[in-house]
Amino acid sequence: MNSSRQQQQCLKNENLDGRVFANDTLQHIHFSQCSLRGVSFQNTSLRSCCFSDCVLDDASFIRSEINNCRFERCVWTGVNLNDSVWTDTEILQADWKTVSLQSCFMSGCTLDHLTLADCRGKGWTLRSCTASSGIMFRRCSLPLLSCESSLLDGSVFAMCDLPYVSFPQSSLNAVLFDADCKLACPNFSYASLQQAAFQGLDMTAASLRRADLSSAVLQKCCLCMADLSYANCTKTDFSNGDLSLADMHMCRFETALMKHTVTNGIRKTDPLRLRAETFTPGHA
C-alpha cells in the first residue's frame, strides 16, 4: 500500500481477516473488537495505534516497527513477531500461545498480566521493560533471551528451555524457575534476586556477579564454577547443592545455609585481587 494514514480513525467490529498492510505506515488508528486473523503488518510502521479486544491469530509483524502503541485484551495465538522492534508500547492482559519471537526487540515497553505458552524464538530482547505483575512462561523455548534493566518481579518460568539467557541489572525478586527448566550458563550479573527460587537446576558456570541473592532458595542446584563474586548471599539457601570451584571473592555468604552443600575448591576473597581492584593510581 505504501501510504501514510495521519488522521484519527476508529475501526470497530470490523472483519479484516487476511488484510495486507505490508510496507504501510499506520498512525492514530483504534482497532476495537476487530477480527485480524492472518493480517500482515510485515515491514509496517505502527505509531500511536490502539488494539483492544481484537483477535490477532496468525497475524504477522515480521520486521515491523511498533511505537507508542497499546494492545489490550487481545488474542495472540500463532502470531509472528520475528525481527520486529517495539518501543514504548503497552501489552496488557494478553495470552501469547505459540508466538514466534526470533530476534524480536522491545524497549521501554509495559507488559502487564502477560502469559506465554509454547512460545519460541532465539534472541528475544527486553530492554528497560516493566512487567509489574510478573510474566508467566510455560513450555517456552527462548535461547539467548536477554532481559536488561527490566522489572520482572514475581515472574514464573515453568518447563522452559532457556540456554544462555541473560538478565543483567534486572529486578527478579521472588521469581521462580521450576525443576523442569533448563538453564545453561545463565547471566544474572547485577540482578536483584531477593527471595527468588531455583528448584534443583544445573546452573554450572552461571554468572551471579554482584547479584543480590538475599533470602533466595537454590536448594539442590549445581553452581559449579559459578561467579558469585561480590554477590549478596545473606540467608541464601544453598542446601544440598554443589558450589565446587565457585568464585566467591568478596561474596557475603556468612549467614548462607550450606547444609550438605559441596564446597570443594571454593575461591574465597583473594587479598591480592582485592588490592588490584581497589588500587587508585598515585596512592600507596
Side-chain angles (χ1 to χ4, degrees), residues 118-120 136-142 156-162 176-182 199 201:
D118 302 299
C119 296
R120 301 287 184 271
M136 179 71 204
F137 297 84
R138 293 192 184 96
R139 301 179 304 276
C140 294
S141 179
L142 299 168
V156 176
F157 295 83
M159 298 175 284
C160 292
D161 187 18
L162 303 166
L176 169 65
F177 290 85
D178 80 357
D180 294 313
C181 284
K182 295 180 181 179
Q199 298 182 340
L201 300 177

Side-chain angles (χ1 to χ4, degrees), residues 76-260:
W76 294 74
T77 303
V79 177
N80 192 329
L81 304 182
N82 292 353
D83 300 302
S84 57
V85 176
W86 302 63
T87 54
D88 302 320
T89 289
E90 295 180 308
I91 300 173
L92 313 175
Q93 301 179 54
D95 290 330
W96 288 6
K97 298 177 181 177
T98 63
V99 171
S100 183
L101 292 155
Q102 184 89 5
S103 299
C104 175
F105 179 84
M106 295 184 173
S107 176
C109 293
T110 299
L111 311 171
D112 194 17
H113 293 94
L114 176 62
T115 298
L116 283 75
D118 302 299
C119 296
R120 301 287 184 271
K122 180 179 180 181
W124 180 26
T125 297
L126 297 171
R127 182 173 296 168
S128 301
C129 291
T130 300
S132 56
S133 59
I135 300 176
M136 179 71 204
F137 297 84
R138 293 192 184 96
R139 301 179 304 276
C140 294
S141 179
L142 299 168
L144 296 175
L145 169 67
S146 176
C147 300
E148 180 182 341
S149 302
S150 292
L151 175 63
L152 299 170
D153 291 350
S155 294
V156 176
F157 295 83
M159 298 175 284
C160 292
D161 187 18
L162 303 166
Y164 307 106
V165 292
S166 183
F167 297 90
Q169 299 180 324
S170 286
S171 183
L172 296 159
N173 298 320
V175 72
L176 169 65
F177 290 85
D178 80 357
D180 294 313
C181 284
K182 295 180 181 179
L183 285 173
C185 301
N187 177 12
F188 293 101
S189 57
Y190 293 84
S192 180
L193 289 155
Q194 298 178 38
Q195 300 181 330
F198 298 81
Q199 298 182 340
L201 300 177
D202 184 351
M203 299 170 65
T204 300
S207 176
L208 291 153
R209 177 177 171 81
R210 294 190 184 273
D212 185 353
L213 288 158
S214 53
S215 299
V217 178
L218 293 99
Q219 293 181 358
K220 299 182 180 179
C221 288
C222 179
L223 289 158
C224 294
M225 298 181 288
D227 183 358
L228 286 152
S229 57
Y230 289 93
N232 178 9
C233 294
T234 304
K235 297 183 179 180
T236 304
D237 190 352
F238 293 107
S239 299
N240 300 294
D242 191 346
L243 285 166
S244 297
L245 302 176
D247 182 357
M248 303 190 78
H249 174 74
M250 290 299 291
C251 175
R252 284 179 283 170
F253 66 97
E254 294 79 9
T255 60
L257 303 178
M258 297 279 198
K259 186 176 181 179
H260 303 305

Side-chain angles (χ1 to χ4, degrees), residues 3 5 9 14 49 57 60 79 108 112 121 128 181 197 250 265:
S3 61
R5 302 165 187 257
Q9 185 177 1
E14 295 281 349
C49 292
D57 290 355
S60 174
V79 177
D112 194 17
S128 301
C181 284
M250 290 299 291

